[in-house]
Amino acid sequence: MADPRSDPEAAPDAPGGPLYVPVRPERGYFVTRFFRTPSGRRTAVAFTTSAQLLATLGRGHPWIRLSAAALRSLTSPLGCPLTVDPRSSAHRLRPPRTVSPPRKDAQRRG
């Protein structure tokens, strides 16, 4: 296995200790969540503290602890770089509200 410090895609400031990695439950397991960079590229995300993860992704968001090397070994076959301590996250978009067309009887009165 290659030394993760030699990985050009790796986050250069990734700490050697455990990271807090956002996950989602799936059929009794936890699956690593992936996000998109502002340019649209898929990336794995990790945080150096659980407080930073919860402040960014919301209270109660599930997470697991992994080392940077373990996370990279999971994500490198997918071609995903690692982003550590992202500063913000976009909120999910709400479905567009449907606007009802004007009623026919309202058009006749005007």
Side-chain angles (χ1 to χ4, degrees), residues 5 19 26 38 42 56 59 61 65 89-90 96 106-107:
R5 292 173 291 185
L19 296 171
E26 174 117 4
R42 190 165 63 163
T56 303
R59 291 184 59 117
H61 193 91
R65 287 179 66 180
S89 70
Q107 289 177 350

Side-chain angles (χ1 to χ4, degrees), residues 11-74:
D13 56 349
L19 296 171
Y20 297 82
V21 180
V23 294
R24 62 182 166 81
E26 174 117 4
R27 298 184 184 143
Y29 298 96
F30 287 107
V31 179
T32 304
R33 289 199 54 201
F34 292 93
F35 295 84
R36 299 270 177 194
T37 64
S39 65
R41 185 170 185 199
R42 190 165 63 163
T43 185
V45 171
F47 296 85
T48 52
T49 68
S50 61
Q52 288 176 305
L53 182 145
L54 298 175
T56 303
L57 299 177
R59 291 184 59 117
H61 193 91
W63 52 267
I64 59 171
R65 287 179 66 180
L66 289 174
S67 69
L71 184 55
R72 284 190 192 106
S73 71
L74 289 171

